[in-house]
Amino acid sequence: MIRLFFPLILTLGALAMPIHSPAAEQSAGRADAEFLALLEEHWETQLREFPQFASETGEERYNHLLDDNSAEAFPRRLAAWKAFLARQQAIDPAQLSREHRLTHAILGRELANNIAEIELETHLIPITNRWGFHIEFPELHQRMPFRHVRDFENYIARLCAFHRSAEENMALLRRGIEGGRTLPAVVLEGFEETIEAHIVEDPQQSLLYTPLRAMPEQISEAEQARLRAEAEAAIRESVVPAYREFLAFMEKEYIPSARGTLGATALPGGRELYAHRVRQYTTLEAITPAEIHEIGLAEVARIRREMQDVITTTEFKGSFAEFTEHLRTDPKFYAETPEQLMKEVAYVLKRMDGELPKLFKHLPRTPYGIRPVPEYLAPRTTTAYYQAPTGDGRTAGIYYVNTFNLKSRPLYEIEALSLHEAVPGHHLQLALQQEQENLPPLRRYSGFTVFVEGWALYAERLGLEAGFYRDPYSQFGRLSYEMWRACRLVVDTGIHNQGWTREQAIAYLAENTALARHNIEAEVDRYISWPGQALAYKIGELKIRELRRRAEELLGPRFDLRDFHHALLQNGALPLDLLEQEVEAYIAGAGEE
């Protein structure tokens, strides 16, 4: 499940209001009890409604179920979210203890956002060009325990339920076709690769059979044989038919009906939808797509100047375009084998592991690992991605590296990419967040994209302070990655608000970054099919850098980078206005010491 949030305006003064009198303390006690009861009931509803998300948190009660995506599910959720929101709004945050006011604000934003998503009928496009129920399901076993017979029975129950899940998602997609809500046809080229990989004759050759290949010794041989036979039957009778039917549906119904337009504004109510997504992914209530476009243009111009300075240091004799073409084509910049690429990644991260204590007071207990992107996903997905650990501590965080088409994976980008996806980027931030036992589950396992991705982009820049990017080509790679995120502000708003074509977006990225053509096309298709998400990275990073500058200027010699990072990370992923409030409190406290 994708966790989505909506920026609800909250009076920051109320959040900071102190409570002193006994009467106020008694009132706070009643309000706290009411709010905690609401919070617990909401969380239990979330787990019940989204059992696949529950598995990611380490909650095992629903491990035999898949998410309900039937026609009845969405009105039921809409009614529940509206009832919860009414109760949340009836609780005055000024009456709460300070520890609960941030959570009160966050709950209101999540509920308002979830309501908007259903009312805007975004569930009628339940897939993108790179994600969906059919891609998520084969990965699900990685988020489940397999210790006892019951664990395997839960998994087999999910295998049996997959056919129903596929039918529900196809029904949503059909409703989308009827209402003019579909993905653009251009981003669906090659979609069949993610489906055909799961249509197998022998169930034991299915990726879904993976957990059955090596079972715990404490399970008897007879039970192992029974479980394997049941899993094979479920794959043969539920999973494979579901993928076969979904492939036929896509070929015969969805692709012929997919729209020829690109931007979200071409959808029914599209301008309202895109405005909502802009607010959702930036957590900025008043910002407009046009303003974001201008911010992007300014950042592109600034970074372009810095890139040109790096080119000068290499003594390359040629234009910017000739330099980027040199980077895209010279074999010395590319690994010859997947193993070589993975070794380069591992080396960079082990170096950064040794630098982390200089930058952070607290480090996560949970480890991380690196793996190649699964073969059936690699051609259609991006350079890398991160999968957070499960809440029960049984699964590490995983940094997935795309080893497909090595000529599109330059080595000079490895430092920036790895610092973003693992440490001090996604793994450090998300693992620390999950380990904050003082935070309620809502905040440990949810988050705001603008913070999560803004932090990871900020983490790339931290490499400068940790001794990375000493080679000018690696420094150019870092700048190219920062440029990539700046270009997203221009391209996403260009496509979804200004009528840009796919070719315009590709040309803009090719002109301003050193990204390989394969990556550029994959990225542009991602922006087309996922409106607004690409805005979060640069907007979040700019705010974090602004807050750091403010802290450095106001605190002067009292500024401590490790303390500042603790202030940023200790509350989990926050929307930008609440993050700013917390940093201001940190500055005030540090200034009084």
Side-chain angles (χ1 to χ4, degrees):
M1 184 184 69
I2 298 176
R3 308 290 289 165
L4 300 170
F5 300 85
F6 183 82
L8 188 66
I9 290 297
L10 193 72
T11 302
L12 298 183
L15 283 171
M17 185 182 297
I19 298 176
H20 297 296
S21 69
E25 290 177 1
Q26 185 177 13
S27 177
R30 289 194 300 269
D32 285 354
E34 182 182 357
F35 178 64
L36 289 174
L38 168 62
L39 199 62
E40 182 177 0
E41 186 179 340
H42 168 264
W43 183 248
E44 283 298 317
T45 302
Q46 289 282 88
L47 297 178
R48 238 182 3 258
E49 285 290 333
F50 304 107
Q52 292 168 230
F53 169 69
S55 295
E56 295 183 7
T57 70
E59 172 57 66
E60 298 183 18
R61 285 176 292 161
Y62 307 104
N63 278 0
H64 60 299
L65 300 174
L66 296 179
D67 294 355
D68 179 4
N69 288 303
S70 65
E72 298 76 26
F74 296 93
R76 180 181 71 239
R77 288 172 191 149
L78 182 61
W81 305 155
K82 285 184 173 180
F84 281 128
L85 183 60
R87 290 169 60 186
Q88 183 266 353
Q89 292 177 334
I91 299 173
D92 181 359
Q95 298 300 311
L96 292 171
S97 301
R98 191 181 191 284
E99 62 185 292
H100 298 311
R101 293 176 200 160
L102 272 179
T103 305
H104 179 273
I106 288 168
L107 176 62
R109 290 171 193 245
E110 175 172 326
L111 290 167
N113 181 77
N114 289 346
I115 289 168
E117 287 287 310
I118 294 177
E119 290 181 338
L120 290 167
E121 296 189 313
T122 61
H123 56 283
L124 300 185
I125 311 180
I127 62 174
T128 71
N129 71 313
R130 54 174 290 188
W131 201 245
F133 74 97
H134 59 300
I135 295 174
E136 182 180 7
F137 186 66
E139 307 291 308
L140 187 58
H141 67 84
Q142 298 179 21
R143 324 295 285 160
M144 296 178 64
F146 290 96
R147 303 159 301 194
H148 310 296
V149 168
R150 183 61 180 166
D151 297 330
F152 286 90
E153 289 175 339
N154 284 338
Y155 180 63
I156 292 167
R158 282 179 159 172
L159 293 177
C160 292
F162 182 68
H163 196 277
R164 172 194 59 80
S165 178
E167 289 178 333
E168 289 174 351
N169 278 278
M170 285 187 284
L172 291 176
L173 290 164
R174 286 191 177 99
R175 286 175 55 196
I177 292 172
E178 293 168 2
R181 299 181 183 278
T182 68
L183 287 173
V186 69
V187 305
L188 292 170
E189 182 181 349
F191 77 93
E192 62 278 356
E193 295 172 357
T194 61
I195 303 174
E196 290 174 342
H198 307 296
I199 302 175
V200 296
E201 294 298 325
D202 180 359
Q204 291 191 19
Q205 299 303 310
S206 170
L207 290 174
L208 281 302
Y209 190 76
T210 300
L212 284 300
R213 294 195 176 102
M215 302 175 70
E217 293 181 359
Q218 64 264 30
I219 299 178
S220 69
E221 290 185 8
E223 284 283 58
Q224 289 192 29
R226 174 181 70 84
L227 293 169
R228 287 191 173 103
E230 291 180 3
E232 287 185 47
I235 293 170
R236 184 185 304 110
E237 298 166 15
S238 171
V239 175
V240 173
Y243 276 107
R244 188 174 286 119
E245 291 169 23
F246 184 53
L247 179 62
F249 165 78
M250 291 294 289
E251 291 176 337
K252 297 177 182 178
E253 295 184 51
Y254 199 78
I255 298 297
S257 303
R259 59 192 173 97
T261 55
L262 295 186
T265 50
L267 294 167
R271 292 214 169 268
E272 180 184 1
L273 169 61
Y274 191 58
H276 154 69
R277 285 290 177 86
V278 168
R279 294 192 299 268
Q280 170 193 319
Y281 283 116
T282 67
T283 70
L284 300 174
E285 181 68 19
I287 201 164
T288 66
E291 289 170 334
I292 290 176
H293 195 84
E294 290 303 314
I295 292 171
L297 290 174
E299 279 292 280
V300 166
R302 175 188 65 79
I303 300 166
R304 181 66 174 265
R305 290 191 295 270
E306 293 187 26
M307 295 171 82
Q308 191 62 54
D309 290 342
V310 173
I311 294 173
T312 300
T313 68
T314 68
E315 299 182 353
F316 180 84
K317 307 302 181 184
S319 66
F320 182 91
E322 289 170 335
F323 184 74
T324 56
E325 183 64 18
H326 167 60
L327 295 182
R328 291 180 180 125
T329 57
D330 193 324
K332 72 180 181 183
F333 296 120
Y334 297 87
E336 295 182 359
T337 66
E339 292 76 18
Q340 182 188 352
L341 181 63
M342 297 297 280
K343 286 179 181 179
E344 291 286 341
V345 168
Y347 174 66
V348 167
L349 290 175
K350 186 50 63 178
R351 284 175 54 208
M352 178 51 85
D353 283 342
E355 301 298 324
L356 293 177
K358 300 176 184 177
L359 303 171
F360 301 95
K361 294 177 67 174
H362 302 283
L363 298 175
R365 300 183 303 272
T366 308
Y368 66 92
I370 58 174
R371 294 178 188 168
V373 171
E375 289 183 9
Y376 74 96
L377 289 179
R380 297 292 296 164
T381 199
T382 49
T383 305
Y385 57 87
Y386 172 75
Q387 180 177 279
T390 51
D392 57 8
R394 293 181 179 276
T395 304
I398 301 296
Y399 165 25
Y400 284 90
V401 180
N402 199 331
T403 59
F404 172 80
N405 189 5
L406 290 174
K407 294 306 179 185
S408 66
R409 319 293 174 196
L411 297 174
Y412 54 79
E413 293 178 351
I414 291 298
E415 289 187 338
L417 176 66
S418 300
L419 271 51
H420 180 108
E421 298 294 346
V423 291
H426 284 324
H427 177 72
L428 185 142
Q429 184 261 312
L430 290 169
L432 275 178
Q433 176 175 299
Q434 289 191 7
E435 293 171 11
Q436 298 279 1
E437 295 182 0
N438 60 307
L439 298 180
L442 171 69
R443 291 171 60 187
R444 290 172 66 191
Y445 300 110
S446 299
F448 293 82
T449 306
V450 72
F451 182 95
V452 174
E453 296 295 354
W455 169 264
L457 181 50
Y458 169 80
E460 294 177 27
R461 180 178 286 266
L462 282 180
L464 291 168
E465 299 172 67
F468 289 80
Y469 313 122
R470 292 174 179 172
D471 178 272
Y473 295 103
S474 183
Q475 170 72 329
F476 192 87
R478 181 192 71 79
L479 288 169
S480 185
Y481 262 41
E482 187 181 2
M483 175 68 90
W484 172 22
R485 280 43 167 266
C487 288
R488 286 175 174 179
L489 301 183
V490 179
V491 170
D492 196 274
T493 53
I495 291 169
H496 295 294
N497 191 63
Q498 299 184 12
W500 278 29
T501 65
R502 182 173 182 267
E503 291 68 30
Q504 273 181 281
I506 290 171
Y508 191 81
L509 280 167
E511 179 184 349
N512 288 292
T513 76
L515 293 173
R517 175 81 183 195
H518 176 88
N519 285 341
I520 289 173
E521 292 177 356
E523 283 295 317
V524 168
D525 289 346
R526 168 189 167 188
Y527 311 149
I528 292 170
S529 65
W530 200 355
Q533 192 269 353
L535 306 177
Y537 300 68
K538 200 58 167 121
I539 294 296
E541 183 239 8
L542 287 171
K543 173 56 71 173
I544 292 171
R545 288 174 57 195
E546 173 198 324
L547 293 174
R548 176 169 168 175
R549 284 194 300 272
R550 189 184 310 173
E552 289 172 333
E553 291 169 1
L554 293 175
L555 294 176
R558 289 170 296 181
F559 176 81
D560 184 291
L561 183 58
R562 296 166 82 241
D563 286 340
F564 174 74
H565 286 158
H566 179 65
L568 286 178
L569 298 171
Q570 66 179 334
N571 287 299
L574 296 177
L576 297 185
D577 59 335
L578 300 185
L579 176 65
E580 184 166 8
Q581 169 200 292
E582 292 302 302
V583 171
E584 288 175 349
Y586 148 75
I587 293 172
E592 294 171 0
E593 293 177 358

